[in-house]
Amino acid sequence: MSAPDLLMPKPMFAQTVEALEQVFTVHKLWLAEDTKAMLADLADHVRFIAAGGHSHVDEAMIAGLPKLEIIANFGVGYDSVDAAAAARHGVIVTNTPEVLNEDVADLAMALLLATIREVPQADSFVRQGRWLAQDYPLTRATLRGRTLGIVGLGRIGKAIARRAEAFGLTIAYCGRRRQADVSYAYHADMRALAEAVDTLMIIVPGGAETRHLVDAEVLKALGPEGVLINVARGSVVDEDALVAALREGTILAAGLDVFADEPRVPPALLALDNVVLLPHVGSATVHTRRAMGQLVVDNLVSWRDGRGPLTPVAETPWPRIKA
Ligand code: NAP
Ligand code: 8YV
């Protein structure tokens, strides 16, 4: 019997592709001369999709593949997969929770420290030979005495909180509900959290519900010593409002790992020296990408073998709950 057909819309981590090719016949959509023709050819038999972090799996694609059963997303955030549409079409979506918590939390702290202590700026100073003429100026900001507001105290948010506690930061958070297992100050409202803290760490899911959660009002509430770190999704922050706030001194500085239109970064942000910019590298270690890839493979193989998905997302629970 031939290996079952799997659609891969965009390139993925090479080791994951190799592992999938051991088990499935992998159809690489981005290599097709005519993507519509490839999708039409596969319509009658493709049951599996492996979606890299940059794949957009929308309702049109799901509806065009009537035999589709499961979409395994490479990443814990699955805002690029229309999970509500998948649910309507009876298709399971899985993601890669937990295995990336520690590396993403490390990167979040690295970005916070780099932003507060101007690490990239100081590195450039040395490379440009400017140290020969003068010492690097003292930084206006310090981590000492700061209160960190975590927006989204979930799996990664809690891993960040553990690190922040070790750095001596006071912690507060907001989310849709208060959490019973933590004693940090809770704010139901994003604006109230921004007023109560001087440092914001954004680590909520992307998508329509959190779009522009951080807007001009929130940045104003954060204040002139305020530091914003975003390791969630670019869509969560109003980038135009952020550029204005950084230019006008409404907040002090920002550290961004994610952007609204990746990999394009607005030129206005590139021109500012009070922002540290990273190319979406929160989980980007070989160790963690291997673990994420393995979970993608394990979900698909478990489904193929009739054992159900390992890590289904909330919109497509398993076993299916009857309405
Ligand atoms: P998680 O465990 O589901 O945690 C998400 C948290 O966000 C929860 O505490 C949830 O609390 C809160 N939340 C959800 N919707 C909200 C809303 N509308 N308003 C306010 N808070 C809301 O997810 P995770 O595993 O920690 O991952 C979080 C996100 O990080 C991912 O979805 C992804 O977008 C991003 N991420 C980025 C990178 C990177 O490379 N930069 C890597 C991994 C993940 P309530 O339910 O109480 O609201
Ligand atoms: C990855 C991520 O960059 O897991 C997520 O939600 O944002 C990151 O781990 C991405 O999913 C894979 O390219």
Side-chain angles (χ1 to χ4, degrees):
M1 214 172 68
S2 66
D5 294 292
L6 176 144
L7 177 67
M8 189 177 284
K10 287 277 166 69
M12 292 178 74
F13 182 48
Q15 287 185 6
T16 309
V17 179
E18 276 168 34
L20 289 170
E21 282 173 337
Q22 303 293 314
V23 189
F24 298 98
T25 304
V26 176
H27 301 273
K28 298 173 179 166
L29 189 61
W30 74 96
L31 296 180
E33 272 181 27
D34 183 343
T35 54
K36 278 193 180 148
M38 180 187 265
L39 287 171
D41 280 351
L42 291 173
D44 274 348
H45 42 274
V46 83
R47 293 162 49 212
F48 308 85
I49 287 183
H54 305 291
S55 309
H56 287 277
V57 182
D58 59 13
E59 179 142 30
M61 184 181 282
I62 294 168
L65 298 169
K67 298 278 162 55
L68 185 64
E69 294 171 12
I70 183 166
I71 302 163
N73 185 61
F74 184 92
V76 68
Y78 53 95
D79 45 303
S80 56
V81 174
D82 189 339
R88 283 195 293 279
H89 290 265
V91 173
I92 290 286
V93 178
T94 64
N95 65 346
T96 61
E98 303 290 356
V99 295
L100 39 54
N101 293 353
E102 304 304 323
D103 264 338
V104 179
D106 285 352
L107 192 280
M109 289 308 288
L111 187 52
L112 173 60
L113 287 163
T115 305
I116 297 253
R117 296 297 300 273
E118 302 176 6
V119 173
Q121 297 90 326
D123 177 276
S124 297
F125 185 84
V126 175
R127 289 173 197 274
Q128 291 163 7
R130 292 165 60 202
W131 193 15
L132 297 169
Q134 62 182 108
D135 283 345
Y136 188 78
L138 306 184
T139 65
R140 177 166 145 189
T142 171
L143 216 52
R144 307 281 72 73
R146 281 192 174 261
T147 301
L148 181 68
I150 301 181
V151 182
L153 193 69
R155 292 169 292 234
I156 302 170
K158 285 190 171 121
I160 294 171
R162 285 198 299 277
R163 286 157 174 76
E165 278 195 51
F167 276 93
L169 298 177
T170 304
I171 298 167
Y173 72 103
C174 86
R176 291 167 300 184
R177 57 190 77 87
R178 185 189 292 274
Q179 303 200 25
D181 59 339
V182 296
S183 54
Y184 311 135
Y186 171 68
H187 300 268
D189 172 56
M190 175 75 241
R191 169 91 184 271
L193 178 72
E195 262 161 18
V197 306
D198 51 23
T199 311
L200 276 180
M201 175 68 72
I202 315 298
I203 187 67
V204 278
E209 248 191 75
T210 57
R211 187 179 145 74
H212 290 187
L213 200 59
V214 177
D215 59 11
E217 287 301 304
V218 167
L219 294 166
K220 196 168 159 215
L222 189 58
E225 296 304 316
V227 172
L228 172 79
I229 306 297
N230 186 9
V231 286
R233 286 292 182 264
S235 59
V236 183
V237 174
D238 178 342
E239 274 179 356
D240 292 339
L242 177 61
V243 168
L246 288 165
R247 265 193 196 137
E248 292 157 17
T250 309
I251 67 166
L252 186 64
L256 308 172
D257 184 42
V258 288
F259 303 88
D261 184 25
E262 295 174 8
R264 283 161 288 277
V265 176
L269 274 177
L270 297 174
L272 290 168
D273 60 10
N274 54 347
V275 60
V276 176
L277 306 169
L278 298 180
H280 199 150
V281 289
S283 68
T285 66
V286 172
H287 168 90
T288 285
R289 290 290 168 86
R290 269 192 191 137
M292 291 163 66
Q294 192 57 52
L295 194 45
V296 167
V297 176
D298 291 348
N299 265 295
L300 291 166
V301 169
S302 178
W303 181 266
R304 181 205 62 180
D305 294 347
R307 289 180 279 114
L310 302 178
T311 49
V313 305
E315 292 87 337
T316 64
W318 188 263
R320 287 194 176 98
I321 296 161
K322 287 201 179 94

